[in-house]
Amino acid sequence: MKTFYIATGNLDDWKKQMANPERQWRKGYSAYELANTWIQTNGFPDKVQKLFDDSQFKTMTILFAFPEYQVHLNNQRAPSQNDLFILGKVNQDLVIIMVEGKVEEPFGETVKDWLNESSEGKRQRLAFLEETLQIPASVSLDNIRYQLLHRTPSA
């Protein structure tokens, strides 16, 4: 796991953090557009700030933002790659936000479809997510988007 971070002041710095920049870094695609939007703003982009305006997060300030932040969940082989990790502050409270950038692509398959080709690794990952999020066995996750479920504990 990375423990040192280099300041990201422009798009080229951000691109260097990408797992696969040749495949992921193109205008009109999520990684590039997310980086371009956040680099150009001072604080939260307008659309994000608008979500916070009528909430306790209205006055949140960004302390640090880490592009392509990796979090190891239930194994050390493949970390979860978060598009942007934000450490913010509201009054005296720290807030962690993980941003998943999307342009036109969906949030992926449902848990039911993800488990369609079930493997031991997938079953272990799902059990880890259910335990970490304290989801009772009586709750069906079939129609939840796996990517959103997976991203939640990485925060």
Side-chain angles (χ1 to χ4, degrees), residues 86-141:
I86 296 170
L87 178 61
K89 188 173 184 181
V90 178
N91 301 320
Q92 298 303 312
D93 296 322
L94 295 177
V95 178
I96 293 174
I97 299 171
M98 294 295 185
V99 177
E100 179 67 24
K102 297 292 184 190
V103 172
E104 293 186 21
E105 70 272 30
F107 276 104
E109 58 200 348
T110 62
V111 170
K112 181 179 179 179
D113 292 339
W114 178 75
L115 281 173
N116 193 33
E117 293 181 26
S118 187
S119 66
E120 183 59 28
K122 284 185 176 184
R123 288 188 296 276
Q124 288 176 356
R125 171 58 60 91
L126 185 58
F128 168 80
L129 296 173
E130 289 172 327
E131 179 183 338
T132 301
L133 297 171
Q134 299 178 2
I135 298 171
S138 60
V139 174
S140 172
L141 299 174

Side-chain angles (χ1 to χ4, degrees), residues 12-152:
D12 288 333
D13 292 339
W14 194 303
K15 180 180 177 181
K16 291 174 187 174
Q17 304 299 316
M18 305 294 300
N20 187 344
E22 299 311 313
R23 185 175 63 87
Q24 298 171 300
W25 196 255
R26 292 182 279 174
K27 285 185 180 180
Y29 287 77
S30 297
Y32 179 88
E33 297 302 331
L34 179 113
N36 193 43
T37 297
W38 283 82
I39 286 285
Q40 289 185 37
T41 188
N42 183 17
F44 290 100
D46 290 341
K47 288 182 180 179
V48 176
Q49 184 60 52
K50 189 174 182 175
L51 292 172
F52 294 155
D53 280 346
D54 294 325
S55 76
Q56 64 187 12
F57 302 110
K58 181 177 184 170
T59 61
M60 184 180 346
T61 57
I62 298 173
L63 300 176
F64 297 100
F66 303 98
E68 300 301 317
Y69 189 77
Q70 296 181 354
V71 175
H72 288 276
L73 295 175
N74 65 321
N75 67 52
Q76 295 300 310
R77 293 173 298 156
S80 178
Q81 190 86 11
N82 297 278
D83 293 340
L84 183 61
F85 166 10
I86 296 170
L87 178 61
K89 188 173 184 181
V90 178
N91 301 320
Q92 298 303 312
D93 296 322
L94 295 177
V95 178
I96 293 174
I97 299 171
M98 294 295 185
V99 177
E100 179 67 24
K102 297 292 184 190
V103 172
E104 293 186 21
E105 70 272 30
F107 276 104
E109 58 200 348
T110 62
V111 170
K112 181 179 179 179
D113 292 339
W114 178 75
L115 281 173
N116 193 33
E117 293 181 26
S118 187
S119 66
E120 183 59 28
K122 284 185 176 184
R123 288 188 296 276
Q124 288 176 356
R125 171 58 60 91
L126 185 58
F128 168 80
L129 296 173
E130 289 172 327
E131 179 183 338
T132 301
L133 297 171
Q134 299 178 2
I135 298 171
S138 60
V139 174
S140 172
L141 299 174
D142 286 352
N143 295 318
I144 302 294
R145 299 288 175 181
Y146 172 74
Q147 188 176 33
L148 293 175
L149 180 69
H150 175 206
R151 289 285 176 244
T152 302

